[in-house]
Amino acid sequence: MKVRKAVIIAAGRGTRFLPMTRSQPKEMMPLVDKPLIQYAVEEALNSGIEQVIIVTAQGKSAIEDYFERSPELEHFLEQKGDTERLSQMREIAGMADISYVRQKEQLGLGHAINTARELVGGEPCAVILPDDIIDSAVPCLKRMLDIYEKYEAGVIAVERIGDEDTRKYGIIEPKQVAERVYQVLSLVEKPEPAQAPSRLGIVGRYVLTPQIFDVLAVTPPGKGNEIQVTDALQLLLKQQKLYAFELEGIRYDTGTPLGWLKANVALALKRDDLGPELREYFKKLL
Ligand code: G1P
């Protein structure tokens, strides 16, 4: 069955970005001049996804406003004769078919995904965590959807990580089956380096089969007393295979101030309108 829907998880509190996130969702933080959430929506659309479901929470209404039409702003730009910006603004409001659902309690990533169950409606789905920005020639999710179709099984994105970082990621036990593709023999959420089955850490892209929802509903709380999708996928391994794609390109963890700064600098340096001047500025600064 074709994957038509993507679930974008935008329900986290963003505590690592306090005080900024007191009144602003972290998903609305800019990466150069677009909010993080837009990169996630664009990756989904560029991968062939038709319908986007955003899981939000209290205090996240700026996300919904962002993808709405803004008649006042459009009128203002029209009066000014700024047709370029006007068409950009209309494009954003019309870019995707988006539905929203709220996670009412913060009980973990697995729980957040399960909140979208009704909207996903028994279909397979992609899941995107907008903190993980992946800059690659072909969208990471598109590569994963190709693997999903080939192997007819769920797919998660992974990346090689350092020894100390096993505590920050889900880690897989891999069996390589093709270039950059692994069968996942087991997976564990945020293990100590000594217990980690490899140094391949899970990154925020998943292609999930419909069965995940039944398993999520009975997955007990795990690491951090939260319902973990990693644990649900481990349980699901009893019924079906799971694959991992070692992502291409560069991934930025914009969930931390340092990662977010790096992503801003790297993406700005690549832009023709900003890169040259920024490069000169850094030369002076350093
Ligand atoms: C979540 C997942 C973890 C994964 C990570 C990727 O953790 O639970 O398995 O490695 O996303 O970003 P979080 O970063 O929400 O703590």
Side-chain angles (χ1 to χ4, degrees):
M1 192 174 184
K2 188 180 179 306
V3 181
R4 302 188 309 121
K5 300 182 182 183
V7 179
I8 299 177
I9 307 295
R13 279 207 184 93
T15 39
R16 280 177 292 191
F17 271 100
L18 281 170
M20 166 37 232
T21 45
R22 272 167 68 88
S23 64
Q24 183 71 283
K26 69 171 173 178
E27 296 79 10
M28 290 304 293
M29 301 215 319
L31 210 44
V32 188
D33 53 8
K34 278 193 299 194
L36 289 170
I37 189 93
Q38 190 171 342
Y39 289 85
V41 172
E42 285 174 353
E43 183 177 332
L45 299 177
N46 293 335
S47 304
I49 293 293
E50 295 162 17
Q51 201 181 321
V52 172
I53 298 158
I54 303 184
V55 180
T56 67
Q58 206 172 27
K60 302 275 186 172
S61 52
I63 297 175
E64 292 168 53
D65 292 344
Y66 184 80
F67 291 106
E68 284 296 309
R69 283 197 70 166
S70 174
E72 257 174 56
L73 175 62
E74 286 177 24
H75 180 71
F76 173 74
L77 293 171
E78 213 162 9
Q79 295 281 304
K80 263 181 72 182
D82 192 343
T83 47
E84 199 186 319
R85 283 213 174 82
L86 180 64
S87 71
Q88 272 176 3
M89 293 307 103
R90 288 194 173 140
E91 234 170 75
I92 290 168
M95 71 191 291
D97 172 1
I98 307 182
S99 325
Y100 299 88
V101 61
R102 275 192 186 219
Q103 186 189 23
K104 298 206 173 66
E105 286 174 283
Q106 310 250 315
L107 300 179
L109 176 58
H111 179 264
I113 294 171
N114 210 21
T115 308
R117 180 178 191 147
E118 293 305 316
L119 288 173
V120 173
E123 296 189 24
C125 66
V127 172
I128 298 180
L129 309 187
D131 276 358
D132 282 326
I133 294 286
I134 301 168
D135 185 18
S136 57
V138 178
C140 181
L141 184 60
K142 185 167 194 318
R143 294 291 312 266
M144 294 168 70
L145 290 170
D146 291 343
I147 295 166
Y148 163 86
E149 268 168 35
K150 179 168 176 195
Y151 293 91
E152 295 179 347
V155 186
I156 56 183
V158 294
E159 181 179 55
R160 238 162 248 291
I161 55 151
D163 283 352
E164 288 311 305
D165 285 339
T166 63
R167 297 185 189 98
K168 291 195 217 153
Y169 297 95
I171 306 290
I172 67 162
E173 180 189 349
K175 180 182 147 204
Q176 188 154 18
V177 292
E179 205 193 334
R180 292 187 174 273
V181 185
Y182 304 87
Q183 187 189 334
V184 178
L185 302 180
S186 68
L187 58 170
V188 50
E189 181 69 3
K190 302 186 177 129
E192 289 299 310
Q195 272 80 51
S198 75
R199 295 298 181 260
L200 287 172
I202 302 170
V203 167
R205 301 289 182 279
Y206 305 77
V207 178
L208 302 173
T209 59
Q211 291 73 31
I212 192 70
F213 292 102
D214 284 337
V215 180
L216 280 171
V218 296
T219 301
K223 206 94 203 177
N225 206 24
E226 292 186 339
I227 297 168
Q228 301 292 350
V229 68
T230 305
D231 296 343
L233 286 167
Q234 171 67 26
L235 289 171
L236 193 56
L237 278 183
K238 288 184 197 142
Q239 295 172 43
Q240 51 183 240
K241 287 185 178 169
L242 177 69
Y243 290 85
F245 169 60
E246 189 176 347
L247 63 86
E248 288 166 331
I250 302 178
R251 179 195 61 118
Y252 299 99
D253 175 9
T254 65
T256 65
L258 186 61
W260 175 76
L261 285 168
K262 284 181 188 170
N264 269 290
V265 171
L267 295 192
L269 282 173
K270 279 176 71 170
R271 291 236 317 224
D272 292 342
D273 57 339
L274 302 170
E277 222 176 305
L278 191 60
R279 192 161 280 114
E280 287 310 310
Y281 174 70
F282 277 131
K283 274 188 204 154
K284 270 191 225 142
L285 198 68
L286 304 170

